Amino acid sequence: MSYAAEPSLQERYAPRNACFGCGPANAKGLRVRSFERGDEVVAEWQAERHHEAFEGMLSGGITGTLLDCHSNWTAAVHLMRKAGLDAPPCTVTADFHVKLLRPTPTGGPVRLAARVVESGEDRAVVEATLTAEGKVRATCRGTFVAVKEGHPAYHRW
């Protein structure tokens, strides 16, 4: 799954976003690149040695960040489509719970897949998985909320 030539959701809608997990403008960030594929949003990401908790294994904190940011974009694009908007609303994480099921090796890419399982007017509940070497390594379920004017994240993208 290579999307090198295709602009990601983040690049298309938030090119100046400096978020550590998904901001295209953060040179030191993880730069998650998410893509719509049917009713899922998918991504592929490759760790570097400084992302490891111990040799050859991804840090649990990095795992959580990948799932959080990818799920947030899944919610944002869902709310955009649902409301018929031209751009996604700025969304933030209200809650998320990550289950670390097994260590995640860093020798190859990790794959993220997320889908909305519930939604309201201004929020969506997303379930996501992080897979490496053909096995689910972590899962996440979270609630993501579109913020209103006056919130610090309102104009972040």
Side-chain angles (χ1 to χ4, degrees), residues 1-4 6-9 12 34-43 77 112 114-115:
M1 153 171 63
S2 178
Y3 307 118
E6 180 182 349
S8 68
L9 294 172
R12 187 177 324 143
S34 305
F35 301 88
E36 290 181 274
R37 292 295 182 264
D39 64 347
E40 281 191 324
V41 175
V42 299
V77 76
L112 301 162
R115 70 178 57 223

Side-chain angles (χ1 to χ4, degrees), residues 1-3 43-48 51 56 58 66 103-112 129-137:
M1 153 171 63
S2 178
Y3 307 118
E44 187 173 281
W45 181 84
Q46 177 63 55
E48 297 178 31
H51 299 126
L58 188 63
L66 292 169
T104 302
T106 56
V110 298
R111 290 177 175 77
L112 301 162
T129 59
L130 182 146
T131 304
E133 296 181 352
K135 294 181 181 175
V136 175
R137 306 296 175 150

